[in-house]
Amino acid sequence: YQIKMLYLFIFISYLFGSISGSLLLGKFKNIDIRTMGSGNAGGTNALRTQGWAFALGVIIVDVGKGAIAAGLIPGMNIPFIPEDPEVSRTGMIFCCAIASVMGHVWPMWYQFQGGKGAATLIGTLLILSPAMILPLLLVWIIVLVVFGFVGLATICAGLFTPIYLLITQSSLDGPLFAYCISIALYLIYTHRSNIHRMKEGTEHKNEKMMIFHRKKHD
């Protein structure tokens, strides 16, 4: 029985995506941020509970693994595993990108309890559509400084990805548009608890980042 490269690379990308930046770096501090703050193993909770330096390290790891999964793993040469001519290079890249995000959210190394996938998605877009990154970050920053919700900023940035392609591309038949639609829906799903807390008025608001926030006076 011959293992196809596609399945093997998807599995490798998932395993690589399962390396959680916050939990990996947390071992050096003897902490598990899943027991702190919101209980999520992503960059936002890392920032809220451990500060900027720790959160920056988490983001570098989580973005980096998405970029590696989309940019390097599909081009690997593995001994004794011949290339499958029926699998397109483009299809393999997108499959590896998706697998790395799945690994981040449901990491087998950490009892399938990971982050929400935003940083790893950014890493995949660095390879799939680097021109999209700056506009995406701009949308994220604008929403954050106006409303103060990191989760809302992330959702809006995800929703912007297919809109960006609608504005900038004449043809939307390629897999990138389908991937961006999936990103938007996926981020809404993984941030459903944030949406619920915003409705209830209990979601954490980063008031220091809000440009229109009125300071309370004693």
Side-chain angles (χ1 to χ4, degrees):
Y1 177 76
Q2 180 179 345
I3 302 176
K4 288 188 175 181
M5 287 186 68
L6 175 62
Y7 301 143
L8 179 60
F9 283 0
I10 286 174
F11 184 60
I12 293 173
S13 298
Y14 168 79
L15 293 179
F16 202 79
S18 291
I19 302 172
S20 170
S22 62
L23 299 178
L24 177 65
L25 297 179
K27 290 185 178 296
F28 294 98
K29 298 183 66 173
N30 197 30
I31 61 170
D32 184 345
I33 70 166
R34 293 175 300 179
T35 64
M36 306 173 183
S38 66
N40 185 262
T44 301
N45 196 36
L47 173 62
R48 192 178 303 157
T49 60
Q50 301 300 317
W52 280 102
F54 185 87
L56 180 61
V58 170
I59 291 172
I60 290 174
V61 173
D62 290 346
V63 170
K65 66 189 184 185
I68 290 173
L72 295 182
I73 292 178
M76 291 172 55
N77 291 319
I78 300 178
F80 310 112
I81 303 295
E83 292 187 8
D84 189 338
E86 295 182 0
V87 178
S88 71
R89 169 75 180 215
T90 300
M92 186 176 292
I93 290 172
F94 279 95
C95 288
C96 288
I98 293 170
S100 69
V101 178
M102 297 296 104
H104 177 80
V105 179
W106 296 289
M108 67 176 297
W109 312 122
Y110 305 105
Q111 299 81 46
F112 302 98
Q113 299 177 32
K116 296 183 178 179
T120 307
L121 282 169
I122 289 292
T124 65
L125 288 176
L126 282 172
I127 303 300
L128 301 174
S129 182
M132 187 187 296
I133 298 300
L134 187 57
L136 196 67
L137 291 177
L138 184 60
V139 170
W140 187 86
I141 291 171
I142 290 173
V143 175
L144 179 62
V145 299
V146 172
F147 298 101
F149 296 117
V150 174
L152 179 62
T154 303
I155 292 170
C156 290
L159 291 171
F160 177 73
T161 57
I163 296 174
Y164 173 84
L165 293 182
L166 286 170
I167 296 172
T168 60
Q169 295 190 13
S170 57
S171 176
L172 299 176
D173 296 332
L176 181 58
F177 184 69
Y179 186 71
C180 288
I181 291 290
S182 300
I183 285 175
L185 296 175
Y186 187 73
L187 289 176
I188 291 173
Y189 171 77
T190 57
H191 286 79
R192 61 194 184 281
S193 61
N194 301 76
I195 295 173
H196 176 73
R197 288 193 297 269
M198 281 187 282
K199 289 180 179 180
E200 297 293 323
T202 58
E203 175 74 338
H204 175 78
K205 181 182 290 188
N206 194 328
E207 297 180 344
K208 293 181 180 179
M209 296 293 296
M210 296 176 64
I211 57 177
F212 300 117
H213 175 63
R214 295 181 180 180
K215 295 183 179 179
K216 296 180 180 180
H217 299 281
D218 294 331

